[in-house]
Amino acid sequence: MREMDLLLGTFADARLDALSAAELDLFEDLLEVPDAELFKWLTGEVPVAEHHDTDLFRRIQAFCRVMPFG
């Protein structure tokens, strides 16, 4: 899904170097979630699954909320 590539790709470009090894593992876990489901979590359309409700997810979600588009 192009939207997820844009959201996660932009986050990765901006913040990936600052993530710990454990956070990188969490990020990789999020990449395994189907795009449509992850998009709904990020937009708050549905609650995030408990397993993925981490500080890293909330940082990604906050980052996506302030991303400039266009």
Side-chain angles (χ1 to χ4, degrees):
M1 179 184 218
R2 181 153 165 58
E3 294 86 356
M4 289 311 304
D5 291 344
L6 178 63
L7 294 173
L8 292 180
T10 303
F11 177 85
D13 288 344
R15 307 281 166 83
L16 205 63
D17 290 344
L19 298 182
S20 68
E23 290 172 325
L24 286 172
D25 289 340
L26 292 172
F27 188 79
E28 288 179 7
D29 287 345
L30 285 172
L31 295 177
E32 298 298 320
V33 174
D35 285 349
E37 186 175 1
L38 184 54
F39 186 78
K40 288 178 182 179
W41 294 349
L42 287 172
T43 61
E45 186 176 335
V46 298
V48 62
E50 187 176 334
H51 168 74
H52 292 290
D53 191 11
T54 63
D55 179 61
L56 176 64
F57 175 82
R58 289 185 291 281
R59 288 184 356 237
I60 294 169
Q61 188 176 44
F63 181 89
C64 291
R65 286 186 179 142
V66 298
M67 275 183 55
F69 291 98

